[in-house]
Amino acid sequence: MTLAEALRCAVKHFAALPNLETANPQMEAELLLQHALGLDRTQLYQRLRDEMPPDKKETYHDLIWRRLCGEPTPYITGRAAFYDIELAVTPAAAIPRPETELLVETALALADKRIQDTPSLTVVDVGTGCGAIALALAAHLPSAQIIATDISSEALALAQGNAERLGLASRVHFLRGDLLEPLEQPADIVVANLPYVRSAEWERLPVEIRCYEPREALDGGPDGLRIIERLLRGAPPVLRPAAALLLEIGFDQGPAVVALASDVFPKASIEVKKDLASLDRLLIIQL
Ligand SMILES: C[S@@+](CC[C@H](N)C(=O)[O-])C[C@H]1O[C@@H](n2cnc3c(N)ncnc32)[C@H](O)[C@@H]1O
């Protein structure tokens, strides 16, 4: 069996399983084959006509089997691509999602404008998980001070390891604690992708999320907004006068978060930005 044939076979199995709701069969079959063979994408494509090495057949079969049982590909390979960086991921933290790249893009655009007046911007990523947002921002904002917080010490250890691998450890300060509580200085930009799934929705989520990702990273309480509301209400004392707050939200939470934000920041400019699927995705508050 050639590598191309092994790929086709895996894609067929993935496509036939309706319970893999979030799977992208072709891409995931490739990532798992790359992982089994220790190849990057270009190397894999150059060798598609080669025979599958006999000692790797079973390895690939096992990886495919784990995926078919529901385990997310990033937890199997231990890697996830996010924005323009690659991160190590483990079940200690949620897997970074492509829709969160909108938050990074928007924060970078805002930071670019503000950096002229405040060259040493302080940007805080609350609930950093594996460090995805904080590290993507650090890679693009060399003069900013980046602070990343999380309540989970396991997630922070993972994020710290990612910072070291990406050569960004000296630029990002990791603090453990509840929301903005560990912060010791005022912030210019606060970004956060906090848990926003409604508790009652948990059992209806795809198996790859429900059975593998940490619930405390995704469950936002009965209305999904318990943690976001606490962040908003606790934010005013730590924000500089012209600060901005960017929060990822669920597609149906726009009106509720705008009402909350207007209550806490009655004089601020408040908007909700849609993602590529035209769904509400980002709350932007500018003081
Ligand atoms: C949805 S995950 C997002 C992880 C990462 N920022 C990303 O976008 O991929 C939410 C993160 O918020 C953290 N978290 C939950 N409650 C928190 C709290 N009260 N204070 C700080 N972090 C919290 C979780 O541990 C988890 O790492």
Side-chain angles (χ1 to χ4, degrees):
M1 175 185 270
T2 63
L3 300 186
E5 285 164 346
L7 263 183
R8 270 199 297 278
C9 181
V11 171
K12 219 166 66 191
H13 282 302
F14 287 156
L17 262 199
N19 73 326
L20 293 183
E21 292 175 52
T22 58
N24 175 337
Q26 179 68 33
M27 194 187 75
E28 298 198 33
E30 283 179 20
L31 286 170
L32 292 174
L33 188 53
Q34 282 171 231
H35 184 64
L37 301 173
L39 301 176
D40 66 25
R41 193 156 191 246
T42 313
Q43 292 167 331
L44 175 63
Y45 272 73
Q46 283 165 345
R47 295 181 201 188
L48 282 177
R49 289 187 190 156
D50 291 4
E51 280 297 303
M52 177 77 132
D55 60 325
K56 298 292 180 192
K57 246 187 207 160
E58 199 170 319
T59 311
Y60 190 46
H61 180 270
D62 289 348
L63 300 181
I64 298 297
W65 181 248
R66 282 167 64 185
R67 184 65 191 105
L68 289 171
C69 291
E71 192 172 347
T73 294
Y75 285 159
I76 300 175
T77 61
R79 306 256 144 225
F82 178 77
Y83 205 68
D84 56 359
I85 55 178
E86 192 185 67
L87 298 145
V89 290
T90 72
I95 297 164
R97 305 291 204 273
E99 51 267 34
T100 305
E101 294 178 1
L102 177 67
L103 188 156
V104 172
E105 241 171 63
T106 311
L108 286 176
L110 267 175
D112 263 355
K113 279 193 214 145
R114 278 151 203 247
I115 226 149
Q116 290 155 32
D117 303 327
T118 320
S120 60
L121 277 183
T122 300
V123 183
V124 184
D125 173 25
V126 185
T128 197
C130 70
I133 299 170
L135 295 171
L137 292 177
H140 288 269
L141 296 172
S143 67
Q145 189 193 359
I146 313 283
I147 300 172
T149 77
D150 207 289
I151 195 121
S152 154
S153 40
E154 290 84 3
L156 279 177
L158 181 64
Q160 178 80 48
N162 277 322
E164 280 156 21
R165 254 187 306 280
L166 292 165
L168 295 166
S170 63
R171 306 257 333 283
V172 185
H173 206 60
F174 293 98
L175 299 172
R176 196 183 94 78
D178 184 39
L179 301 177
L180 294 160
E181 184 250 357
L183 223 60
E184 285 158 1
Q185 66 194 89
D188 296 291
I189 299 180
V190 172
V191 297
N193 174 21
L194 286 163
Y196 57 74
V197 174
R198 289 181 188 82
S199 302
E201 278 168 22
W202 185 258
E203 295 308 324
R204 294 195 290 274
L205 290 176
V207 70
E208 44 257 86
I209 300 175
R210 183 166 37 90
C211 299
Y212 291 92
E213 296 200 64
R215 184 164 183 166
E216 53 285 5
L218 301 171
D219 187 338
D223 63 355
L225 296 175
R226 198 175 52 96
I227 302 174
I228 287 182
E229 176 167 7
R230 280 206 302 115
L231 176 76
L232 287 173
R233 297 210 181 279
V238 308
L239 297 178
R240 286 221 171 94
L245 239 155
L246 278 68
L247 306 186
E248 182 167 315
I249 56 166
F251 71 95
D252 57 354
Q253 293 171 336
V257 291
V258 168
L260 266 175
S262 312
D263 187 39
V264 182
F265 302 101
K267 294 191 181 142
S269 141
I270 297 167
E271 65 170 303
V272 171
K273 198 165 174 178
K274 292 188 187 300
D275 61 18
L276 289 174
S278 294
L279 300 171
D280 284 354
R281 184 60 64 197
L282 193 60
L283 173 72
I284 306 171
I285 304 169
Q286 299 192 67
L287 303 193

Short mmCIF file of all heavy atoms in Angstrom, two decimals, residues 82 92-97 100 125-133 149-152 155 177-180 192-195 216-218 227 230 248, ligand 1:
data_model
loop_
_atom_site.label_atom_id
_atom_site.label_comp_id
_atom_site.label_asym_id
_atom_site.label_seq_id
_atom_site.Cartn_x
_atom_site.Cartn_y
_atom_site.Cartn_z
N PHE A 82 -2.40 27.75 14.93
CA PHE A 82 -3.28 28.86 15.29
C PHE A 82 -2.65 30.15 14.78
O PHE A 82 -1.47 30.41 15.05
CB PHE A 82 -3.46 28.94 16.81
CG PHE A 82 -4.31 30.10 17.25
CD1 PHE A 82 -5.70 30.06 17.11
CD2 PHE A 82 -3.73 31.25 17.77
CE1 PHE A 82 -6.49 31.14 17.48
CE2 PHE A 82 -4.52 32.33 18.15
CZ PHE A 82 -5.90 32.28 18.01
N ALA A 92 -4.98 19.34 29.00
CA ALA A 92 -4.98 20.33 30.09
C ALA A 92 -5.64 21.63 29.64
O ALA A 92 -6.03 22.45 30.48
CB ALA A 92 -3.54 20.62 30.52
N ALA A 93 -5.75 21.85 28.34
CA ALA A 93 -6.33 23.11 27.85
C ALA A 93 -7.19 22.84 26.63
O ALA A 93 -7.00 21.84 25.92
CB ALA A 93 -5.21 24.09 27.47
N ALA A 94 -8.14 23.76 26.39
CA ALA A 94 -8.98 23.64 25.19
C ALA A 94 -8.12 23.80 23.94
O ALA A 94 -7.06 24.43 23.98
CB ALA A 94 -10.06 24.73 25.22
N ILE A 95 -8.59 23.22 22.84
CA ILE A 95 -7.87 23.32 21.57
C ILE A 95 -8.19 24.70 20.95
O ILE A 95 -9.35 25.07 20.85
CB ILE A 95 -8.34 22.20 20.62
CG1 ILE A 95 -7.97 20.83 21.22
CG2 ILE A 95 -7.74 22.37 19.23
CD1 ILE A 95 -8.69 19.66 20.59
N PRO A 96 -7.17 25.47 20.54
CA PRO A 96 -7.46 26.77 19.93
C PRO A 96 -8.25 26.59 18.63
O PRO A 96 -7.99 25.67 17.87
CB PRO A 96 -6.07 27.36 19.64
CG PRO A 96 -5.08 26.39 20.09
CD PRO A 96 -5.74 25.18 20.62
N ARG A 97 -9.25 27.47 18.42
CA ARG A 97 -10.15 27.34 17.27
C ARG A 97 -9.85 28.42 16.23
O ARG A 97 -9.49 29.55 16.59
CB ARG A 97 -11.61 27.55 17.69
CG ARG A 97 -12.10 26.65 18.82
CD ARG A 97 -12.19 25.22 18.35
NE ARG A 97 -13.11 24.40 19.11
CZ ARG A 97 -12.82 23.73 20.22
NH1 ARG A 97 -11.63 23.84 20.80
NH2 ARG A 97 -13.72 22.95 20.78
N THR A 100 -11.21 32.01 16.66
CA THR A 100 -10.57 32.92 17.63
C THR A 100 -9.52 33.80 16.94
O THR A 100 -9.07 34.80 17.51
CB THR A 100 -9.95 32.08 18.77
OG1 THR A 100 -10.99 31.27 19.32
CG2 THR A 100 -9.36 32.93 19.88
N ASP A 125 -4.19 38.83 28.18
CA ASP A 125 -5.03 37.73 27.67
C ASP A 125 -5.55 36.96 28.89
O ASP A 125 -4.77 36.31 29.58
CB ASP A 125 -4.19 36.83 26.75
CG ASP A 125 -4.93 35.57 26.30
OD1 ASP A 125 -6.18 35.60 26.29
OD2 ASP A 125 -4.25 34.57 25.97
N VAL A 126 -6.86 37.05 29.12
CA VAL A 126 -7.43 36.41 30.30
C VAL A 126 -7.96 35.02 29.92
O VAL A 126 -8.75 34.90 28.99
CB VAL A 126 -8.59 37.26 30.87
CG1 VAL A 126 -9.10 36.66 32.18
CG2 VAL A 126 -8.15 38.69 31.07
N GLY A 127 -7.53 33.98 30.62
CA GLY A 127 -7.93 32.61 30.28
C GLY A 127 -7.14 32.15 29.08
O GLY A 127 -7.68 31.77 28.04
N THR A 128 -5.83 32.16 29.22
CA THR A 128 -4.94 31.95 28.05
C THR A 128 -4.90 30.51 27.54
O THR A 128 -4.51 30.27 26.40
CB THR A 128 -3.52 32.47 28.39
OG1 THR A 128 -2.79 32.64 27.19
CG2 THR A 128 -2.76 31.50 29.30
N GLY A 129 -5.29 29.54 28.37
CA GLY A 129 -5.24 28.13 27.93
C GLY A 129 -3.83 27.75 27.53
O GLY A 129 -2.88 27.95 28.29
N CYS A 130 -3.65 27.24 26.31
CA CYS A 130 -2.30 26.85 25.86
C CYS A 130 -1.48 28.06 25.42
O CYS A 130 -0.36 27.90 24.95
CB CYS A 130 -2.39 25.82 24.74
SG CYS A 130 -3.03 26.51 23.21
N GLY A 131 -2.05 29.27 25.55
CA GLY A 131 -1.29 30.49 25.25
C GLY A 131 -1.55 31.04 23.85
O GLY A 131 -0.89 31.99 23.43
N ALA A 132 -2.52 30.45 23.14
CA ALA A 132 -2.70 30.78 21.71
C ALA A 132 -2.77 32.29 21.44
O ALA A 132 -1.98 32.82 20.64
CB ALA A 132 -3.97 30.09 21.19
N ILE A 133 -3.70 32.98 22.10
CA ILE A 133 -3.91 34.40 21.78
C ILE A 133 -2.70 35.22 22.23
O ILE A 133 -2.15 36.03 21.46
CB ILE A 133 -5.19 34.92 22.48
CG1 ILE A 133 -6.42 34.14 22.00
CG2 ILE A 133 -5.37 36.42 22.24
CD1 ILE A 133 -7.69 34.42 22.79
N THR A 149 -3.18 35.30 31.81
CA THR A 149 -3.62 34.70 33.08
C THR A 149 -4.47 33.47 32.80
O THR A 149 -5.07 33.34 31.73
CB THR A 149 -4.49 35.68 33.91
OG1 THR A 149 -5.80 35.73 33.36
CG2 THR A 149 -3.90 37.07 33.93
N ASP A 150 -4.53 32.58 33.77
CA ASP A 150 -5.47 31.46 33.71
C ASP A 150 -5.68 30.95 35.14
O ASP A 150 -4.80 31.09 35.99
CB ASP A 150 -4.97 30.31 32.81
CG ASP A 150 -6.12 29.49 32.23
OD1 ASP A 150 -6.76 28.74 33.01
OD2 ASP A 150 -6.41 29.61 31.02
N ILE A 151 -6.84 30.36 35.35
CA ILE A 151 -7.14 29.79 36.67
C ILE A 151 -6.48 28.42 36.81
O ILE A 151 -6.27 27.93 37.91
CB ILE A 151 -8.68 29.71 36.87
CG1 ILE A 151 -9.04 29.50 38.33
CG2 ILE A 151 -9.31 28.64 36.03
CD1 ILE A 151 -9.90 30.60 38.87
N SER A 152 -6.14 27.80 35.67
CA SER A 152 -5.61 26.43 35.69
C SER A 152 -4.08 26.44 35.62
O SER A 152 -3.50 26.95 34.66
CB SER A 152 -6.19 25.66 34.49
OG SER A 152 -5.33 24.62 34.11
N ALA A 155 -2.84 24.43 32.56
CA ALA A 155 -2.90 25.19 31.29
C ALA A 155 -1.73 26.17 31.24
O ALA A 155 -1.06 26.30 30.20
CB ALA A 155 -4.23 25.93 31.18
N GLY A 177 -4.58 32.79 38.40
CA GLY A 177 -5.59 33.37 39.28
C GLY A 177 -6.90 33.57 38.56
O GLY A 177 -7.03 33.28 37.37
N ASP A 178 -7.87 34.08 39.31
CA ASP A 178 -9.21 34.29 38.78
C ASP A 178 -9.27 35.57 37.94
O ASP A 178 -9.01 36.67 38.44
CB ASP A 178 -10.19 34.37 39.97
CG ASP A 178 -11.62 34.49 39.50
OD1 ASP A 178 -11.99 33.83 38.51
OD2 ASP A 178 -12.37 35.28 40.11
N LEU A 179 -9.59 35.42 36.67
CA LEU A 179 -9.79 36.54 35.74
C LEU A 179 -8.69 37.60 35.88
O LEU A 179 -7.52 37.29 35.70
CB LEU A 179 -11.21 37.11 35.96
CG LEU A 179 -12.31 36.06 35.71
CD1 LEU A 179 -13.69 36.63 36.02
CD2 LEU A 179 -12.28 35.51 34.31
N LEU A 180 -9.06 38.87 36.21
CA LEU A 180 -8.05 39.94 36.24
C LEU A 180 -7.41 40.10 37.62
O LEU A 180 -6.55 40.97 37.81
CB LEU A 180 -8.72 41.26 35.82
CG LEU A 180 -9.18 41.29 34.37
CD1 LEU A 180 -10.23 42.38 34.15
CD2 LEU A 180 -7.99 41.51 33.43
N ALA A 192 -9.99 38.24 25.69
CA ALA A 192 -10.32 37.00 26.39
C ALA A 192 -11.24 36.13 25.54
O ALA A 192 -12.16 36.62 24.90
CB ALA A 192 -11.01 37.30 27.72
N ASN A 193 -10.93 34.84 25.55
CA ASN A 193 -11.84 33.83 25.01
C ASN A 193 -12.16 32.93 26.19
O ASN A 193 -11.53 31.90 26.39
CB ASN A 193 -11.17 33.06 23.87
CG ASN A 193 -12.02 31.90 23.39
OD1 ASN A 193 -13.24 31.89 23.61
ND2 ASN A 193 -11.39 30.93 22.75
N LEU A 194 -13.12 33.38 26.99
CA LEU A 194 -13.47 32.65 28.22
C LEU A 194 -14.57 31.63 27.93
O LEU A 194 -15.17 31.67 26.86
CB LEU A 194 -13.92 33.66 29.28
CG LEU A 194 -12.77 34.48 29.87
CD1 LEU A 194 -13.28 35.73 30.57
CD2 LEU A 194 -11.92 33.62 30.82
N PRO A 195 -14.84 30.72 28.86
CA PRO A 195 -15.91 29.75 28.61
C PRO A 195 -17.24 30.47 28.35
O PRO A 195 -17.59 31.39 29.09
CB PRO A 195 -15.99 28.98 29.95
CG PRO A 195 -14.65 29.16 30.58
CD PRO A 195 -14.17 30.51 30.15
N GLU A 216 -14.23 22.73 32.30
CA GLU A 216 -14.07 24.04 32.98
C GLU A 216 -13.50 25.10 32.05
O GLU A 216 -13.54 26.29 32.34
CB GLU A 216 -13.26 23.90 34.27
CG GLU A 216 -11.91 23.24 34.19
CD GLU A 216 -11.95 21.71 34.03
OE1 GLU A 216 -13.05 21.12 33.88
OE2 GLU A 216 -10.87 21.10 34.02
N ALA A 217 -12.97 24.66 30.87
CA ALA A 217 -12.45 25.64 29.91
C ALA A 217 -13.55 26.15 28.98
O ALA A 217 -13.34 27.12 28.25
CB ALA A 217 -11.33 25.01 29.08
N LEU A 218 -14.71 25.47 28.96
CA LEU A 218 -15.73 25.80 27.96
C LEU A 218 -17.11 26.12 28.54
O LEU A 218 -17.89 26.86 27.94
CB LEU A 218 -15.88 24.61 26.98
CG LEU A 218 -14.60 24.22 26.22
CD1 LEU A 218 -14.79 22.92 25.46
CD2 LEU A 218 -14.18 25.32 25.24
N ILE A 227 -19.04 33.78 33.49
CA ILE A 227 -17.64 34.21 33.66
C ILE A 227 -17.40 35.52 32.91
O ILE A 227 -16.72 36.42 33.41
CB ILE A 227 -16.68 33.09 33.20
CG1 ILE A 227 -17.00 31.82 34.02
CG2 ILE A 227 -15.23 33.50 33.37
CD1 ILE A 227 -16.25 30.59 33.60
N ARG A 230 -18.66 38.33 35.00
CA ARG A 230 -17.75 38.66 36.11
C ARG A 230 -16.55 39.44 35.60
O ARG A 230 -16.06 40.36 36.24
CB ARG A 230 -17.29 37.36 36.80
CG ARG A 230 -18.33 36.80 37.77
CD ARG A 230 -17.71 35.97 38.87
NE ARG A 230 -16.93 34.85 38.41
CZ ARG A 230 -15.63 34.73 38.59
NH1 ARG A 230 -14.92 35.67 39.21
NH2 ARG A 230 -14.99 33.66 38.14
N GLU A 248 -14.35 37.10 22.96
CA GLU A 248 -15.04 36.17 22.06
C GLU A 248 -16.34 35.75 22.72
O GLU A 248 -16.39 35.54 23.94
CB GLU A 248 -14.15 34.95 21.77
CG GLU A 248 -14.85 34.02 20.79
CD GLU A 248 -13.94 32.95 20.20
OE1 GLU A 248 -12.81 33.27 19.80
OE2 GLU A 248 -14.39 31.78 20.15
C1 LIG B 1 -12.19 28.56 25.94
S1 LIG B 1 -10.67 28.35 26.80
C2 LIG B 1 -9.70 29.45 25.80
C3 LIG B 1 -8.25 29.17 25.80
C4 LIG B 1 -7.45 30.09 24.85
N1 LIG B 1 -7.55 31.47 25.26
C5 LIG B 1 -7.94 29.97 23.42
O1 LIG B 1 -8.55 30.90 22.89
O2 LIG B 1 -7.72 28.92 22.81
C6 LIG B 1 -10.98 29.27 28.28
C7 LIG B 1 -9.84 29.35 29.27
O3 LIG B 1 -10.27 30.18 30.36
C8 LIG B 1 -9.77 29.65 31.57
N2 LIG B 1 -10.64 30.10 32.67
C9 LIG B 1 -11.87 29.66 33.01
N3 LIG B 1 -12.32 30.33 34.08
C10 LIG B 1 -11.37 31.23 34.42
C11 LIG B 1 -11.25 32.21 35.45
N4 LIG B 1 -12.24 32.40 36.32
N5 LIG B 1 -10.11 32.94 35.50
C12 LIG B 1 -9.11 32.75 34.61
N6 LIG B 1 -9.17 31.83 33.61
C13 LIG B 1 -10.29 31.08 33.52
C14 LIG B 1 -9.81 28.14 31.36
O4 LIG B 1 -8.93 27.49 32.26
C15 LIG B 1 -9.41 28.03 29.89
O5 LIG B 1 -8.02 27.86 29.77
#
